[in-house]
Amino acid sequence: MTPVVVRHSERPELWDRAPEQFAGVVPEYNLHGDINGGYWRRLFQDFPTYQFVLYDDAHDEILGHGRSLPRSWDGTAQGLGSGLDDSITRAFADHDAGRSPDALCALGIEVAAAHQGKGLSRVLLDHMAVTARSAGLGTVLVPVRPTWKERYPLTPIGRYAAWKRGDGSPFDPWIRTQVRAGGGVAAASERSSRITGTVGEWESWTGMAFPDDGEYVFPGGLAPLSIDRTRDRGTYWEPAVWITHRTGGSAAGPERSG
């Protein structure tokens, strides 16, 4: 298998196969973010060169994909913002105002279920850095969804991000992969992406019943879900850990931290 990277601008039809190919890779609730619907179509219309798949041409199979957006960033931890939702809003505001971006922000780096455990996430991450560098962007920003955070949903994300293994490397596997690729832990955010829905929708997404108002831990959740049955509303804020990667592009950026 010799996979190649194919941009959406080159073969947009490959993305039509993504929903089936990546079913179950991320929890169902994660496909219903409040901000996604308004921008999803524009992502491929306005930024096609920043969306790519890892493709096995010999077997006509999609192995993984990466989604990203160029956005402004002042090089400070505070300037990273609150996370995914803020970055999406900022990127499209920059685009519509004609402002030049400073960095490339990852929206998703995902490997198809049948090909996980083969090191392909690192291949996708490396290509995102190549994409940024070719666009003259000096940094890749990754609002990481930590792999094992769902095991510790009550632990604050900042505390979780600081956990180490006995060898001093990050406890979380995805954060560890990022750091080994040269990234630095820059900040943590409790409110990276908001997902709201009716109580019925949340029960469908999670396979759980929510019989009363209150906070619930649920399968795949990185933090508790807040249920308000009177308003028929479930509200969830997904946390994230900011990782920064220098790419060697021409845009300015800070030294890595962490």
Side-chain angles (χ1 to χ4, degrees):
M1 179 178 65
T2 305
V4 295
V5 172
V6 181
R7 297 180 180 182
H8 181 272
S9 55
E10 297 168 331
R11 291 192 59 184
E13 77 280 1
L14 290 178
W15 287 85
D16 294 336
R17 295 157 53 182
E20 178 180 355
Q21 191 77 22
F22 292 86
V25 171
V26 297
E28 176 64 27
Y29 77 83
N30 226 244
L31 304 177
H32 302 275
D34 289 3
I35 201 170
N36 292 347
Y39 289 118
W40 183 253
R41 185 175 298 276
R42 285 192 63 191
L43 177 69
F44 298 95
Q45 292 175 342
D46 295 350
F47 302 106
T49 60
Y50 295 102
Q51 326 310 322
F52 57 87
V53 299
L54 191 62
Y55 179 63
D56 179 3
D57 188 45
H59 298 92
D60 186 28
E61 190 171 10
I62 299 171
L63 311 178
H65 62 201
R67 290 168 281 116
S68 59
L69 284 171
R71 53 156 281 191
S72 57
W73 182 43
D74 63 6
T76 68
Q78 293 79 8
L80 289 168
S82 58
L84 189 63
D85 287 0
D86 175 70
S87 288
I88 294 172
T89 302
R90 188 181 311 195
F92 280 99
D94 289 341
H95 174 271
D96 294 344
R99 291 189 290 266
S100 297
D102 308 293
L104 187 66
C105 182
L107 304 183
I109 297 173
E110 293 150 7
V111 176
H115 298 284
Q116 292 181 3
K118 301 177 182 179
L120 297 182
S121 61
R122 174 63 187 271
V123 175
L124 291 164
L125 179 61
D126 288 347
H127 185 74
M128 198 163 284
V130 170
T131 299
R133 187 162 54 247
S134 66
L137 303 175
T139 313
V140 173
L141 311 176
V142 188
V144 167
R145 183 181 190 275
T147 307
W148 284 351
K149 181 62 173 70
E150 65 181 46
R151 303 180 183 185
Y152 309 92
L154 302 181
T155 301
I157 189 65
R159 181 176 165 193
Y160 177 86
W163 286 357
K164 305 290 185 183
R165 300 196 305 174
D167 62 2
S169 63
F171 171 80
D172 185 83
W174 189 212
I175 296 177
R176 189 162 61 249
T177 295
Q178 299 268 343
V179 170
R180 285 176 173 171
V185 178
S189 173
E190 294 284 355
R191 294 192 166 196
S192 176
S193 181
R194 188 178 70 173
I195 302 169
T196 58
T198 66
V199 174
E201 286 173 330
W202 273 103
E203 289 180 339
S204 173
W205 297 338
T206 63
M208 287 180 62
F210 302 110
D212 199 359
D213 292 349
E215 302 285 309
Y216 290 85
V217 171
F218 63 96
L222 309 192
L225 164 69
S226 178
I227 291 292
D228 183 340
R229 293 195 64 88
T230 302
R231 296 176 57 232
D232 190 25
R233 180 67 51 176
T235 303
Y236 169 77
W237 278 99
E238 180 142 291
V241 177
W242 276 113
I243 308 288
T244 62
H245 296 263
R246 293 298 299 272
T247 70
S250 60
E255 295 300 319
R256 290 192 300 269
S257 60

